[in-house]
Amino acid sequence: MKTTIHTTVDDFLRDDDFIRYVMDAIPDSDSRWASYLSAAPAVRSAYLKAYDILNHLDDCHLLSPEEKATLKQRVIHTIRLSYN
């Protein structure tokens, strides 16, 4: 995981490590993100919202259709990179 500070939902949704963590449910990553949240509890709300968006992307009403399409492409790209 990078040492980038995430303060917004957008920060989380732009992070390939976070996307992999949510989409692949990597156990080792669980502890790293739990540690991150412990160190920065103020970002918990943004973390949870980003997590929810990725898990319910097709049903998400927080994003415009264009934002959904862009995020889906980013998720697909990120997942492909992790398997190469």
Side-chain angles (χ1 to χ4, degrees):
M1 184 168 78
K2 300 173 200 130
T3 57
T4 305
I5 304 295
H6 296 6
T7 58
T8 67
V9 173
D10 196 47
D11 291 340
F12 284 101
L13 295 177
R14 292 179 186 272
D15 186 308
D16 290 342
D17 290 331
F18 180 75
I19 292 170
R20 272 189 228 98
Y21 158 67
V22 173
M23 304 310 285
D24 290 340
I26 302 167
D28 180 46
S29 208
D30 283 344
S31 63
R32 287 186 283 168
W33 283 104
S35 295
Y36 181 83
L37 288 177
S38 292
V43 301
R44 186 173 203 63
S45 177
Y47 165 91
L48 292 172
K49 191 173 282 188
Y51 191 95
D52 191 50
I53 287 171
L54 288 173
N55 277 306
H56 302 96
L57 194 52
D58 289 328
D59 300 328
C60 183
H61 300 291
L62 299 173
L63 303 175
S64 71
E66 295 81 19
E67 290 171 319
K68 283 182 196 179
T70 300
L71 184 53
K72 281 183 182 182
Q73 288 302 314
R74 179 162 180 79
V75 167
I76 290 167
H77 176 73
T78 299
I79 291 171
R80 283 186 183 149
L81 286 178
S82 67
Y83 291 109
N84 289 330

